[in-house]
Amino acid sequence: SQQGEEDPQALSIQEGENATMNCSYKTSINNLQWYRQNSGRGLVHLILIRSNEREKHSGRLRVTLDTSKKSSSLLITASRAADTASYFCATDAGGGADGLTFGKGTHLIIQP
Amino acid sequence: SQTIHQWPATLVQPVGSPLSLECTVEGTSNPNLYWYRQAAGRGLQLLFYSVGIGQISSEVPQNLSASRPQDRQFILSSKKLLLSDSGFYLCACTGGRTGELFFGEGSRLTVL
């Protein structure tokens, strides 16, 4: 079953605006990761935040994690048309080699 | 860094026909390997993972099987395809010490 659930399912904004996507999960995690998928392509890892971290930055990306609420957010600042993609959160429960559990994703459209 | 090759990129197969999707990894040794399936507009479902040659773990009962004949080769197979096997299949491997996944470009399977 899906561990992460992204919200909203779809988001359309104007170029230059900030985009915020949220992720909720159900069980304890070791870390939470965000991935990006361009249409018809594989996923690309964006950023990882550990369970003992609250905020992390990478370029125009800012990720927050609230383990008490079992939620995370991904903020993309000063969006560009090239940011149009689907964004997925994935949780690592740290139980072994059985990979990550992905949500259904947020489809982000940046209007030029 | 790791590079994952998947083929074929696109496949259209009749119901009841066999399937073989291949995945090879470069740039790492003894990786954990994964097969995910992504249905249209959905998140990723983990199908199989492998921690070593000949070691396969299945996450869901299904019509598919996986094999790992070499350290950096992972194969997804079926003897008789069903309509429900249609989807986008992604191979992934672990990289680094933090558990992030590297993905191939995917294989899109349509069963008619």
Side-chain angles (χ1 to χ4, degrees):
Chain A
S1 62
Q2 301 290 350
Q3 161 80 308
E5 289 289 338
E6 290 89 345
D7 169 54
Q9 293 186 4
L11 178 63
S12 181
I13 61 174
Q14 293 296 122
E15 194 168 21
E17 295 179 339
N18 295 342
T20 300
M21 290 158 273
N22 303 297
C23 169
S24 60
Y25 57 92
K26 297 177 181 176
T27 63
S28 297
I29 60 171
N30 189 42
N31 65 66
L32 185 144
Q33 304 177 32
W34 285 90
Y35 288 79
R36 166 194 169 125
Q37 183 182 34
N38 287 357
S39 181
R41 305 293 297 275
L43 278 73
V44 176
H45 179 261
L46 294 176
I47 194 166
L48 179 153
I49 187 165
R50 301 180 191 281
S51 60
N52 62 353
E53 297 176 311
R54 292 297 168 259
E55 186 171 313
K56 202 162 184 179
H57 297 253
S58 176
R60 293 185 296 114
L61 305 180
R62 172 178 169 253
V63 170
T64 63
L65 179 65
D66 187 335
T67 53
S68 66
K69 295 182 179 178
K70 291 186 169 58
S71 67
S72 173
S73 67
L74 172 67
L75 169 68
I76 303 174
T77 60
S79 63
R80 305 167 182 170
D83 294 328
T84 294
S86 291
Y87 292 83
F88 294 87
C89 69
T91 53
D92 180 357
D98 56 347
L100 305 175
T101 305
F102 286 82
K104 295 180 181 180
T106 293
H107 184 51
L108 175 65
I109 298 173
I110 307 300
Q111 309 275 7
Chain B
S1 64
Q2 293 85 343
T3 302
I4 300 181
H5 301 282
Q6 277 189 249
W7 71 93
T10 305
L11 196 59
V12 180
Q13 292 286 103
V15 169
S17 64
L19 171 74
S20 180
L21 300 178
E22 293 202 31
C23 169
T24 59
V25 180
E26 295 179 357
T28 188
S29 59
N30 196 31
N32 292 342
L33 296 174
Y34 304 86
W35 278 111
Y36 284 89
R37 177 170 58 201
Q38 184 177 30
R42 300 291 300 270
L44 277 68
Q45 179 187 34
L46 179 62
L47 302 176
F48 300 95
Y49 68 93
S50 172
V51 299
I53 296 173
Q55 301 179 61
I56 307 295
S57 297
S58 174
E59 287 295 297
V60 293
Q62 59 198 305
N63 184 43
L64 303 169
S65 62
S67 62
R68 185 171 179 174
Q70 300 180 47
D71 180 48
R72 289 175 286 180
Q73 184 184 23
F74 206 20
I75 298 171
L76 185 69
S77 304
S78 174
K79 292 182 179 178
K80 289 186 177 182
L81 285 168
L82 305 172
L83 287 174
S84 57
D85 292 324
S86 293
F88 191 50
Y89 289 83
L90 289 155
C91 179
C93 76
T94 48
R97 296 171 294 173
T98 52
E100 69 226 52
L101 293 181
F102 292 85
F103 283 84
E105 288 299 315
S107 296
R108 184 165 302 283
L109 171 65
T110 302
V111 182
L112 301 175

